[in-house]
Amino acid sequence: MCGIVGYIGEKSAVDILLNGLTKLEYRGYDSSGIALNNGGHIELYKAVGKLNNLKENIRPIKDELDKSTIGIGHIRWATHGAPTTVNAHPHTCNCGKLVLVHNGIIENYQELRAELEKQGCLFKSQTDTETVAHLVAREFDKVKDLTEAVRLATQRIEGAYALCVLHQDAKDTIVATKRNAPLVVGIGEGEYFVASDVPAIIDYTKKAMYLDDNQIVTLTRTSMKLIDKNNNEIKGKVEILPWEPVALSKMGYKHYMMKEIHEQPSIIRNLLSGKITGINENLNLNEVQLDKETVKKLNRIQIVACGTSLHAAMVGKYILEDFCGIAVDVEPSSEYIYRKTVTDENTLVIGVSQSGETADTITAVKQSKKRGSHILIVTNRPDSTMAREADSLISVCAGIEVSVAATKSYMAQLISFYLLAIYIAEIKGSVDKELVKKLKKELIVLPEKAEEVLSQENQVKVISRKYANAKNFIYIARGINFPTALEGALKLKEISYINATGYTAGELKHGPIAMLDETLPVLSIMMKGKVYDKILSNSEEAKARNAKMIALTNSSDEKLNELFDDIIRIPETDEYLSPILAIIPLQLIAYYIAEFLGKDVDQPRNLAKSVTVE
Ligand code: AGP
């Protein structure tokens, strides 16, 4: 993960670097650092913990540092070596004249380190990155040219990297390069920016160039030169970013997560608008670039994703198979990429990712693309690396999601899957027309129903606090809401650190039931439909083992009051669409428990918003 920034121009570099790192804090937040070229002398500033610690360290000397107009910065999510000041980037060579920041993983760093140590390099950190600093510095000593040194050094590196490098003797120059990690160059008037992601530069310029793998860019205040790995000069594709600077604001909420949960009704509304134009008219999904004949011939769909996006994909599988009669496999990208998968020209591969930068999903998508599959990407970032691999691109338009716990992007992914399934089903004529009409009607009123769920926030808060001291939690569901159980449990785990697990309710008696006693809350997701009675029986079985029982239901059945200690009731909707409403109270439960326990809701420990390493 990690975020990197670089600046060369006439302005104070420190402001631009710190502002850029603030925008990249979603990529990691266990330490940070900057290096400034101060009148030909390189100075380093680092701090452990949140970026604010670095800002505080710098505050007393800020006026002095404002003179520097060249610098690089880094925000870290630790891979190799604990989050300490020594392991924080930028890293340096022996003499300290070369500094660099890195995002990615150097896979052959141990061999390189052993070799460099033999040659007299003194390592200070436990990071893989420091090998690159020594490697580039050694090449620089030989060739006296920073670009060439970076080119030669990166040829020895295996793995993924985005690098930004400064050398005291390569005056007024920044060199940057990448392989399997994102890097964008911002182009200003007499200034250049480098960053892992657009938000870090968009406040300053909309003119930018994305680097392709193995390209190396050399920046001075007035020039930008791009070469490939063979030292051939190439012309980069300069584009105008379709972005507006976004002032990130919590809009009065205590945390971004809560703000994002509350944005969900309008996200549903926006996504449906222009797509469902009338219940008797076929749904509009111009994003899908498959002709109707190819859609009819599809015999298999493979969906790859991670984490929350994987859970959205599981709901997607359920409806795509039911509506379209096409076999759908859903697999975590990290598993998919290490096995042989069976695909042919009639297979559609769907990559789902909020960030569009998840390394495993990018690899999975690239592998499938090589095998000739049509690639459909469902993402919140149409400018991401993954989106650039897409043959068809569904942009879920949820707006920037700041909180590490994905909420509104999950909602937007769900809605996108409903639209996709109905779109394919209408082309194939594979689903009962009356059912489609009913679903369209129901989808249109879902934003109001989602608002109704949110209006019960206080009741959910009270229930959440009652269970906040539980050490373990079980979520059970069946059918289309099994992914809801998994997602509810993931939300609770990641922000409250309570061990929460989602099970298909039928599996409970095949093992997990042994854990049940009065200390363990079981939350049953019971939506009216095919499996309602079954899950009711499974809940009875759990109750008989003295578990504390919570129901999340759209049934008004009074008898539930005897079985359950607490009940959260949500509006009724078609069973197929119930995951859309059912997830909202589970997001709120996770939020209120974490907040009650005093956890860092938006930036939970050990996590990062964008997982750019495999
Ligand atoms: C969700 O709350 C998590 N933070 C995480 O599981 C996330 O969904 C996962 O890392 C996938 O990210 P992506 O959607 O950006 O690919």
Side-chain angles (χ1 to χ4, degrees):
M1 355 272 209
C2 305
I4 69 179
V5 284
Y7 175 73
I8 181 162
E10 302 291 346
K11 299 184 187 126
S12 158
V14 67
D15 283 336
I16 291 166
L17 297 179
L18 291 177
N19 185 34
L21 292 180
T22 307
K23 302 281 172 59
L24 296 180
E25 223 179 347
Y26 73 89
R27 301 177 76 89
Y29 35 77
D30 57 41
S31 59
S32 54
I34 57 170
L36 298 168
N37 188 334
N38 209 345
H41 182 74
I42 288 183
E43 286 163 6
L44 281 178
Y45 304 90
K46 300 183 185 187
V48 174
K50 299 276 174 76
L51 183 61
N52 259 344
N53 298 347
L54 178 67
K55 291 180 181 170
E56 284 306 315
N57 286 356
I58 283 175
R59 194 189 301 275
I61 47 166
K62 173 81 177 31
D63 288 349
E64 181 55 29
L65 299 189
D66 274 341
K67 291 177 196 144
S68 298
T69 56
I70 305 176
I72 57 177
H74 187 269
I75 189 123
R76 182 168 186 246
W77 183 85
T79 57
H80 298 65
T84 60
T85 316
V86 171
N87 288 334
H89 301 215
H91 286 285
T92 66
C93 60
N94 276 8
C95 65
K97 284 184 170 182
L98 177 136
V99 284
L100 61 77
V101 287
H102 165 226
N103 167 38
I105 288 182
I106 309 301
E107 283 164 6
N108 58 339
Y109 84 101
Q110 279 169 321
E111 297 149 52
L112 291 173
R113 181 170 175 147
E115 179 189 316
L116 288 159
E117 277 175 335
K118 270 192 208 143
Q119 293 169 11
C121 292
L122 300 170
F123 279 76
K124 300 169 279 293
S125 75
Q126 287 94 50
T127 63
D128 52 337
T129 303
E130 196 181 345
T131 49
V132 189
H134 289 290
L135 207 58
V136 179
R138 291 191 78 79
E139 295 296 348
F140 184 85
D141 290 344
K142 287 184 226 154
V143 298
K144 305 290 178 215
D145 178 277
L146 189 56
T147 310
E148 182 61 358
V150 168
R151 191 181 77 83
L152 294 171
T154 47
Q155 287 179 358
R156 303 228 30 224
I157 293 174
E158 287 163 22
Y161 57 79
L163 296 167
C164 205
V165 192
L166 288 182
H167 196 295
Q168 206 163 287
D169 296 340
K171 276 201 184 128
D172 299 356
T173 305
I174 290 184
V175 177
T177 184
K178 64 144 258 173
R179 188 195 298 155
N180 292 332
L183 203 64
V184 61
V185 176
I187 303 163
E189 293 292 323
E191 59 184 357
Y192 290 94
F193 308 81
V194 183
S196 300
D197 197 2
V198 170
I201 61 171
I202 198 70
D203 288 348
Y204 311 104
T205 182
K206 282 182 153 197
K207 200 169 163 191
M209 179 184 75
Y210 286 98
L211 252 58
D212 283 337
D213 282 353
N214 303 312
Q215 293 182 338
I216 304 170
V217 69
T218 306
L219 304 168
T220 69
R221 287 188 179 86
T222 51
S223 68
M224 173 172 83
K225 185 178 171 194
L226 190 66
I227 58 165
D228 66 14
K229 64 177 178 193
N230 300 318
N231 209 2
N232 300 311
E233 190 164 349
I234 41 177
K235 207 168 157 18
K237 193 173 152 240
V238 174
E239 51 193 282
I240 302 300
L241 298 168
W243 277 69
E244 290 307 322
V246 265
L248 294 176
S249 151
K250 292 183 190 149
M251 304 294 281
Y253 291 99
K254 189 169 173 194
H255 297 100
Y256 282 108
M257 182 178 175
M258 197 45 126
K259 176 197 147 220
E260 288 160 3
I261 290 174
H262 278 266
E263 282 171 357
Q264 295 179 110
S266 48
I267 286 169
I268 306 175
R269 227 171 251 126
N270 291 345
L271 268 173
L272 297 179
S273 109
K275 304 276 193 305
I276 300 180
T277 45
I279 56 164
N280 293 315
E281 284 164 50
N282 277 6
L283 194 141
N284 222 333
L285 205 60
N286 299 333
E287 291 89 335
V288 178
Q289 303 286 318
L290 286 168
D291 61 56
K292 296 197 169 161
E293 284 317 303
T294 315
V295 169
K296 282 183 191 159
K297 277 194 235 145
L298 287 178
N299 58 17
R300 189 169 185 185
I301 298 177
Q302 294 180 340
I303 318 183
V304 285
C306 302
T308 289
S309 297
L310 183 70
H311 298 150
M314 290 169 78
V315 177
K317 170 187 164 79
Y318 198 98
I319 47 178
L320 281 163
E321 284 194 339
D322 257 34
F323 298 178
C324 313
I326 302 173
V328 182
D329 307 315
V330 176
E331 202 166 348
S333 318
S334 52
E335 291 299 316
Y336 181 90
I337 57 184
Y338 292 110
R339 67 182 193 87
K340 196 170 166 214
T341 48
V342 183
T343 52
D344 63 22
E345 67 283 4
N346 295 325
T347 305
L348 169 68
V349 173
I350 306 179
V352 191
S353 173
Q354 186 285 130
S355 62
E357 297 296 347
T358 298
D360 286 315
T361 311
I362 293 174
T363 306
V365 159
K366 283 185 175 167
Q367 284 180 359
S368 314
K369 200 169 178 174
K370 270 195 196 143
R371 288 195 290 262
S373 305
H374 185 95
I375 305 293
L376 189 157
I377 299 295
V378 179
T379 183
N380 197 26
R381 291 293 302 271
D383 58 327
S384 61
T385 307
M386 214 179 292
R388 275 176 269 132
E389 296 292 328
D391 298 309
S392 296
L393 178 63
I394 299 187
S395 177
V396 303
C397 305
I400 293 226
E401 190 175 60
V402 177
S403 181
V404 166
T407 53
K408 62 173 180 171
S409 62
Y410 176 73
M411 181 61 78
Q413 290 166 350
L414 285 188
I415 301 296
S416 303
F417 271 115
Y418 285 98
L419 293 174
L420 180 67
I422 295 174
Y423 174 76
I424 295 179
E426 284 184 331
I427 292 175
K428 290 189 67 181
S430 53
V431 71
D432 175 23
K433 284 195 172 136
E434 289 311 308
L435 172 65
V436 172
K437 276 189 200 169
K438 187 177 166 220
L439 292 178
K440 284 181 183 168
K441 250 190 197 165
E442 206 28 52
L443 275 166
I444 292 165
V445 295
L446 270 185
E448 283 89 83
K449 292 191 177 178
E451 273 155 6
E452 208 181 316
V453 178
L454 285 168
S455 71
Q456 297 163 33
E457 198 181 322
N458 272 335
Q459 187 218 353
V460 179
K461 182 175 177 178
V462 171
I463 294 175
S464 306
R465 295 202 163 167
K466 191 169 154 191
Y467 295 97
N469 291 317
K471 296 278 171 280
N472 300 288
F473 236 98
I474 286 182
Y475 290 68
I476 55 171
R478 297 181 84 130
I480 196 165
N481 275 300
F482 170 51
T484 313
L486 294 178
E487 176 58 10
L490 175 65
K491 284 289 89 82
L492 185 60
K493 263 189 285 227
E494 76 179 314
I495 63 169
S496 74
Y497 321 144
I498 292 173
N499 175 30
T501 315
Y503 290 109
T504 54
E507 276 296 298
L508 203 59
K509 54 180 154 306
H510 297 286
I513 202 165
M515 295 188 295
L516 301 190
D517 62 18
E518 62 289 347
T519 65
L520 207 156
V522 173
L523 190 148
S524 303
I525 303 164
M526 305 203 312
M527 299 299 137
K528 283 163 80 175
K530 287 205 275 263
V531 289
Y532 179 84
D533 289 335
K534 297 284 171 210
I535 189 156
L536 193 58
S537 309
N538 300 137
S539 304
E540 296 272 11
E541 291 155 11
K543 176 77 175 175
R545 272 78 190 176
N546 287 331
K548 290 273 175 284
M549 300 300 298
I550 309 161
L552 170 60
T553 185
N554 55 11
S555 158
S556 50
D557 185 358
E558 288 296 316
K559 280 192 284 196
L560 298 182
N561 297 340
E562 289 159 33
L563 175 55
F564 290 96
D565 298 279
D566 289 285
I567 301 180
I568 300 165
R569 293 190 202 269
I570 61 173
E572 217 178 298
T573 187
D574 188 277
E575 187 182 18
Y576 279 120
L577 301 178
S578 60
I580 298 171
L581 297 181
I583 192 57
I584 300 172
L586 303 186
Q587 296 166 340
L588 291 170
I589 289 174
Y591 174 86
Y592 280 118
I593 291 183
E595 200 246 3
F596 185 65
L597 295 175
K599 305 296 184 205
D600 191 339
V601 172
D602 284 333
Q603 294 186 329
R605 72 182 181 203
N606 305 338
L607 291 175
K609 183 78 185 152
S610 187
V611 184
T612 60
V613 291
E614 282 184 10

